[in-house]
Amino acid sequence: MELYGKLTSSLNDLFATQLTDAVSWRTIPGQLQKVATSPSGFTWGLNARNTLFRCKEPCTGSWTSHGTPGDGRILDLAADMKYVFILSREGVMTVIRRADVTGQGSWSEPIEAPDDAKTIVATSDSVIVTGK
C-alpha cells in the first residue's frame, strides 16, 4: 500500500507540473463550487445554492442560470461532447440525469445510482460513478 501511495503521489506531481507548464490559468469571478467543461466548448458550474450555470467558452461574463431538475441536492457534475450529467440525491435515492450540453431541451428521467455514489466522470463513451 505504501508503494501505491508513492506512485500516486508521483503521478499527481507529474500531472500538476505538466498542466501548469501547458495551460494558462486565469481567475473567473464567481462562487462556483464545481465546474465541468465539455470538449464542444460549453462549461457548466454549480454554486452553493444548488443552482446550475452554463456558458459558451470563453465564458467572459456570459453565464446563464439553468434549471435544476427534481428537488434534489446535486452532488457532482460532468460533461462530454454531447451531454452534461448530474449526480444528485433526490429523496432517498441517488440518481443520474443528463441534458444537452448546449442547455437546449429538458433533463432526462432519473436513473438510479448506487446510494454511496459521490462523484461522476464522463468520457467519450462512458459515464462512471464512484463512491466513498
Side-chain angles (χ1 to χ4, degrees), residues 71-73 75 87-97 110-116:
D71 59 357
R73 179 88 185 133
L75 304 171
L87 177 68
S88 63
R89 188 79 182 164
E90 297 182 16
V92 296
M93 288 181 18
T94 303
V95 299
I96 299 169
R97 291 181 185 256
I111 298 170
E112 191 169 356
D115 281 339
D116 67 344

Side-chain angles (χ1 to χ4, degrees), residues 41-65:
F42 289 89
T43 298
W44 286 72
L46 176 69
N47 71 9
R49 289 181 281 183
N50 204 46
T51 305
L52 286 168
F53 294 88
R54 75 174 187 298
C55 74
K56 175 73 172 140
E57 295 172 9
C59 300
T60 55
S62 58
W63 289 86
T64 303
S65 177

Side-chain angles (χ1 to χ4, degrees), residues 10-61:
S10 295
L11 284 173
N12 286 341
D13 291 344
L14 174 67
F15 289 133
T17 302
Q18 296 292 326
L19 281 174
T20 302
D21 292 345
V23 177
S24 296
W25 295 96
R26 64 186 167 95
T27 303
I28 298 173
Q31 304 265 335
L32 298 177
Q33 293 186 322
K34 295 188 181 279
V35 176
T37 302
S38 167
S40 61
F42 289 89
T43 298
W44 286 72
L46 176 69
N47 71 9
R49 289 181 281 183
N50 204 46
T51 305
L52 286 168
F53 294 88
R54 75 174 187 298
C55 74
K56 175 73 172 140
E57 295 172 9
C59 300
T60 55

Side-chain angles (χ1 to χ4, degrees), residues 98-115:
R98 78 175 189 195
D100 191 288
V101 76
T102 65
Q104 303 300 312
S106 59
W107 289 96
S108 69
E109 290 297 316
I111 298 170
E112 191 169 356
D115 281 339

